[in-house]
Amino acid sequence: MLDLEVVPERSLGNEQWEFALGMPLAQAISILQKHCRIIKNVQVLYSEQMPLSHDLILNLTQDGIKLLFDACNQRLKVIEVYDLSKVKLKYCGVHFNSQAIAPTIEQIDQSFGATHPGVYNAAEQLFHLNFRGLSFSFQLDSWSEAPKYEPNFAHGLASLQIPHGATVKRMYIYTGNNLQETKAPVMPLACFLGNVYAECVDVLRDGTGPLGLRLRLLTAGCGPGVMADAKLRIMERSIYFGDSCQDVLSALGSPHKVFYKSEDKMKIHSPSPHKQVPSKCNDYFFNYFTLGVDILFDSVTHLVKKFVLHTNYPGHYNFNIYHRCDFKIPLIIKKECAECISPHIQWDQIQELLGHPMEKPVVLHRSSSANNTNPFGSTFCFGLQRMIFELPVHCSSYIL
């Protein structure tokens, strides 16, 4: 059974690891993978039909914990403990929930102190006791005694007579004072771990098409003396088609990985003189996982020839390899009207802005080198205005 420290408005964890509000999805999954012998039976829950309208959830079924991530920025928004019998919880080093201590309303009051009057939801028969960044829910229908509720008791406050010994049904950790209106906070400095992240990526364009990328980068101090140097740094870097390897390394630093293409599956769609020329050497990618960006270099000239921007939708073949790239592709439809393509726009809307493709999509098959299977199926690549849009059934990543 996990023994975890509750920090309102911040985190849930122990000395080895911590789930912090604002943490990126990939970092939380990395913690689960590292401690897979202790934390088992984890489910990934998401909406296939409306992936941007519902939270992305990591459900720790063995431990009764749910991690709710914002569907758009994929940062941790709410930590929910829905089964307190499966986990030990403490606040300021003192347990308020364990096998020996029941999380009664008296125990919560003793551990956390006084708070505002609770809120009663008559439709759900739930009584919510709220602190800043922390809420406890009590299920009324599980009580042996019927609660006495008076909507207008004194000074505009309601009165709810709670039976002695009522225990907590659920606990929530979030940011702010209102669970329903909470949002994922900015990423904590402790989550940077020496990495560089992209706050946003603007695609630079002219009248003919894309020219390159302008990246707004975030990083924080790391290494010895991290507390003395723990402040956020913001940088802007631009890279263009035709830039050399040295230009990209100078702007973005070393990539997380360099990947050499074994074959060019799209070569068959090139003009006929090019598709017949055998490759003497392979093009290669610089993979920047925390930026959500890949950069393809020509094997002969070693100049940038393609950018890949990953949206990291669940259900995609590359899900959780890259962080979501929050890109913006500006479009000028009329002189007074400017539109923008982002990871949160629907394919139908893109076609309204750019027009419908003249040709049928190219079907892209991906397979694993280990078992030669892809459980997520094929994807479809549409070409529009020197850009390729890759569209699986319920997710998408964009290739420039």
Side-chain angles (χ1 to χ4, degrees), residues 196-197 255-258 286-294 321-324:
V196 178
Y197 294 86
H256 294 91
K257 186 178 180 181
V258 178
F286 278 6
N287 306 126
Y288 291 94
F289 298 133
T290 57
L291 305 183
V293 174
D294 288 336
I321 295 178
Y322 297 85
H323 289 247
R324 171 165 292 177

Side-chain angles (χ1 to χ4, degrees), residues 19 23-33 58 67 69 76:
F19 294 122
M23 170 182 284
L25 171 68
Q27 201 167 110
I29 292 179
S30 177
I31 291 174
L32 297 174
Q33 291 173 331
L58 296 180
L67 306 176
F69 293 83
L76 184 56

Side-chain angles (χ1 to χ4, degrees), residues 2-62:
L2 296 178
D3 191 351
L4 305 177
E5 178 83 21
V6 173
V7 183
E9 212 172 16
R10 198 188 86 177
S11 66
L12 178 70
N14 54 30
E15 295 178 354
Q16 287 74 42
W17 50 265
E18 181 182 54
F19 294 122
L21 296 176
M23 170 182 284
L25 171 68
Q27 201 167 110
I29 292 179
S30 177
I31 291 174
L32 297 174
Q33 291 173 331
K34 184 177 180 180
H35 299 277
C36 61
R37 294 186 178 181
I38 300 172
I39 307 174
K40 302 177 181 178
N41 302 326
V42 179
Q43 298 175 334
V44 181
L45 308 175
Y46 62 94
S47 171
E48 291 186 347
Q49 288 73 27
M50 295 185 292
L52 295 175
S53 301
H54 301 281
D55 292 333
L56 178 60
I57 300 173
L58 296 180
N59 184 14
L60 286 58
T61 58
Q62 177 180 275

Side-chain angles (χ1 to χ4, degrees), residues 84-364:
L84 278 75
S85 65
K86 295 181 176 180
V87 64
K88 297 179 182 178
L89 300 172
K90 56 188 175 182
Y91 174 65
C92 294
V94 180
H95 285 94
F96 65 90
N97 174 67
S98 67
Q99 293 172 321
I101 303 172
T104 62
I105 193 165
E106 292 82 11
Q107 180 64 50
I108 298 301
D109 182 66
Q110 178 182 338
S111 299
F112 293 90
T115 184
H116 299 288
V119 179
Y120 176 56
N121 188 320
E124 299 178 352
Q125 286 194 312
L126 283 174
F127 174 71
H128 302 284
L129 196 60
N130 302 316
F131 300 83
R132 181 172 179 83
L134 185 68
S135 292
F136 297 95
S137 297
F138 299 84
Q139 188 79 44
L140 300 196
D141 58 8
S142 64
W143 298 349
S144 57
E145 303 176 32
K148 297 178 181 178
Y149 176 67
E150 297 180 37
N152 297 304
F153 178 66
H155 303 289
L157 299 177
S159 171
L160 182 69
Q161 184 177 340
I162 303 174
H164 178 74
T167 57
V168 175
K169 181 74 174 178
R170 295 172 185 266
M171 183 190 74
Y172 302 89
I173 303 173
Y174 54 94
T175 301
N177 283 318
N178 193 320
L179 176 60
Q180 282 66 42
E181 298 177 2
T182 189
K183 296 180 180 179
V186 298
M187 188 165 63
L189 296 179
C191 291
F192 278 87
L193 302 176
N195 291 306
V196 178
Y197 294 86
E199 183 181 33
C200 61
V201 176
D202 295 319
V203 177
L204 305 174
R205 301 179 81 245
D206 61 8
T208 61
L211 301 175
L213 305 178
R214 181 172 59 241
L215 303 96
R216 184 177 172 86
L217 305 176
L218 305 177
T219 187
C222 61
V226 62
M227 295 308 295
D229 194 33
K231 62 180 180 178
L232 187 67
R233 292 181 174 85
I234 302 174
M235 304 168 288
E236 276 200 1
R237 298 288 186 269
S238 296
I239 49 177
Y240 299 88
F241 289 109
D243 279 358
S244 66
C245 288
Q246 290 81 0
D247 293 331
V248 174
L249 289 171
S250 176
L252 303 181
S254 299
H256 294 91
K257 186 178 180 181
V258 178
F259 175 77
Y260 289 86
K261 297 176 65 175
S262 58
E263 58 178 327
D264 190 347
K265 295 183 179 180
M266 303 301 285
K267 187 177 181 181
I268 190 68
H269 300 283
S270 302
S272 56
H274 299 281
K275 72 178 71 173
Q276 298 173 3
V277 178
S279 299
K280 295 183 180 180
C281 48
N282 299 326
D283 293 345
Y284 53 95
F285 284 100
F286 278 6
N287 306 126
Y288 291 94
F289 298 133
T290 57
L291 305 183
V293 174
D294 288 336
I295 303 173
L296 178 65
F297 292 91
D298 184 271
S299 59
V300 177
T301 64
H302 302 286
L303 302 179
V304 175
K305 61 187 293 187
K306 185 184 293 185
F307 298 103
V308 184
L309 310 181
H310 295 270
T311 56
N312 195 41
Y313 273 122
H316 190 271
Y317 183 76
N318 290 330
F319 174 66
N320 197 51
I321 295 178
Y322 297 85
H323 289 247
R324 171 165 292 177
C325 178
D326 186 16
F327 60 83
K328 293 179 176 61
I329 306 175
L331 303 174
I332 300 178
I333 309 302
K334 299 178 182 178
K335 290 185 179 180
E336 299 85 12
C337 180
E339 297 286 349
C340 186
I341 296 176
S342 71
H344 315 130
I345 193 172
Q346 298 287 335
W347 172 239
D348 291 341
Q349 296 173 277
I350 295 176
Q351 293 183 97
E352 291 178 4
L353 297 172
L354 298 180
H356 292 266
M358 300 299 293
E359 299 180 356
K360 293 183 178 180
V362 174
V363 182
L364 180 60

